[in-house]
Amino acid sequence: MTNQSELVKLQNGNTTHQVLIVKGLDKTKPPKPLGERKKAVLRQELMVLLGNTCVVASGMSVALPSVSLAQLTDPNDIYNLNTEESSWFASINSMACPLGGLLVGYLMDRIGRRNTMLCTNCVGIVGLLLLVTAPSHSTRDAIYIQLLVGRFLCGLMIGLSLSPIGSYSAEISLPRIRGRLIMGTSIAIACGILFMYLLGYFIRNNFKLISIISVVYQCFAFCCCLPMPESPSWLLQKGYEERARKSLKYFRGLSKNDNNIYEEFETELALIKKNSDLSRSAAANESLLQAIRAPEVYKPLIMMIGLFFFQQCSGIVVVIVFAAQIATRAGVSADPLLVAVFVGVARIVTTFFMGAIFEKWGRRPAGIVSATGMTVCMLILAANGWWPAIGQHVPLLPVVAIVLHIIFSTMGLLTLPFFMISEVFPQRVRGSANGFTLCIGLLFSFSVVKLYPTMETLIGTANSFAFFGAISLLGVAFIYFIVPETKGRTLLEIENYFRTGRKVSNAEVARRQSQIAMEEAAGIYRSDLELNEVFLKLSKVDDELGKTVNGKE
């Protein structure tokens, strides 16, 4: 029997399988896998929570200019930054982010996920200490230079912080809860931004005190990363088999002193080891140029760079960094710092629901709805600038548009790239590919944040909003035509899709998963190892079918 006929029978359900399914309906439900049981899930969530404390600090650093520029640009204050200097203060951290994005791939592969997080916190502590001690200089120029150096190091910290915890979350979890854990990064960024907005609202015109609070929090984040076990995948890739066994035991809810043999645990450990050995072998025998030429590498790389382009150039980061200033220029009569707090609250509330939205709607629909809503909000802000009478008749319209823009952006375009970056790259290049993609994305961020004040001066606030709306509209088309759906796919299926170009519909995936789940309940598979072989066989058949289809075309 050919592989193609086997796949057809498995998808459509042949007579033999149907009989077995009916016979197995009266059997008890099989127990949950070790990694999905309560104790294991709590451990995974706790460690991801601890790791994301550093990402919260990154969100605080991103939002710092929004709450501090009013004081820093005051002619009567010791800082007294002019327009050009204030734009550098706001954007230089974005210039440093790409460097952090390049370094993080090297550090993740060399020293591991946990140690990279520890190093990231150390960089953030030094950068924030420079901001705290900057006023100690006697000359304004020296103060300004130290502010820039401190912000540069904070930007380096941001670039270093975004990738490790996402990879860590994907590597310690099973597919069913992977999305929920990966979303922790977006929630952490939103929490950091909201925390900084609240500090700016309650502590006004006290940049030094806000910086001191930020240092204390960064030290707390460093301490939180100390008890985290290293990722089992990284440990096995480096040959630390005993440490990997202990780490996986922890994340599967087992006691470190438990010497019992669990077939499910041993099977998973063997599969991780096999994958790690293959990745290590591929990395040793494959140059960087050869890796980039592989379709499963360059296709997701191009796609992710495109996603980051539309994310950064649609005005998302501009609204976050310059929230208070944009509220003022958009004609908002309310306290601009209070508007910034509303923006932060809207983002974090929306982010909490994003894991469920991505799993229920899928990645593509969420992204399309997000970019469409952002387009409408930006055009409303532009129309309010073109025809001020609109704002006079509806005073709250600019506030509603700004808050809705944040909600829509969080629903997809803001969170989607960070969500998908942990899914789409093969393990052998995951660290370096993540780092390079983040580097390019953060370069876009720096360019937009640095050029926005100049852009606003040249074409006006209303036309700037219209430009961002047009970019968001192009983002709708990009997601619709380019971005594949990864909902319900294993990492292996996603890799095979980019390698073969064969799309698998949601209905097809659901049919296979339902068929296999019912056959498992019927007792067809004698062990988890046999079940894993079925999944691998399906992936192999998909690969061969994709080659056959491409050959016929």
Side-chain angles (χ1 to χ4, degrees), residues 507-553:
E508 195 173 351
V509 171
R511 192 186 309 119
R512 290 190 214 169
Q513 291 179 340
S514 175
Q515 183 79 25
I516 292 174
M518 295 177 73
E519 290 178 354
E520 182 184 8
I524 295 176
Y525 307 114
R526 293 184 296 275
S527 67
D528 289 334
L529 180 59
E530 187 175 344
L531 183 58
N532 284 325
E533 288 176 351
V534 171
F535 279 111
L536 291 173
K537 185 176 181 181
L538 282 173
S539 179
K540 181 180 178 182
V541 174
D542 280 351
D543 195 351
E544 292 180 359
L545 278 177
K547 292 177 181 177
T548 303
V549 171
N550 292 334
K552 290 180 179 179
E553 292 175 349

Side-chain angles (χ1 to χ4, degrees), residues 311-479:
Q311 179 201 66
Q312 301 295 335
C313 296
S314 60
I316 293 175
V317 178
V318 168
V319 173
I320 293 172
V321 174
F322 298 103
Q325 293 76 12
I326 286 177
T328 301
R329 291 182 178 86
V332 177
S333 57
D335 183 348
L337 287 175
L338 183 60
V339 174
V341 171
F342 286 152
V343 167
V345 171
R347 183 179 177 192
I348 191 171
V349 170
T350 308
T351 305
F352 270 112
F353 295 99
M354 283 315 302
I357 289 175
F358 280 147
E359 293 305 320
K360 186 175 182 179
W361 291 6
R363 282 47 158 173
R364 292 178 72 250
I368 291 171
V369 171
S370 168
T372 302
M374 291 167 59
T375 301
V376 174
C377 292
M378 278 298 177
L379 291 180
I380 290 174
L381 289 174
N384 184 69
W386 290 329
W387 302 290
I390 297 176
Q392 293 174 2
H393 287 88
V394 190
L396 291 178
L397 184 63
V399 177
V400 172
I402 291 173
V403 173
L404 283 178
H405 183 271
I406 289 295
I407 292 175
F408 277 116
S409 66
T410 307
M411 283 179 62
L413 204 54
L414 180 62
T415 52
L416 189 59
F418 295 109
F419 191 94
M420 294 189 71
I421 198 173
S422 300
E423 295 183 317
V424 297
F425 293 115
Q427 182 179 348
R428 69 181 191 275
V429 296
R430 188 168 295 150
S432 54
N434 282 7
F436 179 76
T437 306
L438 282 173
C439 173
I440 300 299
L442 294 170
L443 275 174
F444 293 144
S445 176
F446 163 71
S447 302
V448 172
V449 174
K450 181 67 180 73
L451 294 176
Y452 174 71
T454 304
M455 176 182 176
E456 188 182 35
T457 302
L458 291 176
I459 67 175
T461 302
N463 290 331
S464 299
F465 291 152
F467 172 80
F468 292 138
I471 294 295
S472 300
L473 186 59
L474 291 175
V476 175
F478 179 84
I479 295 172

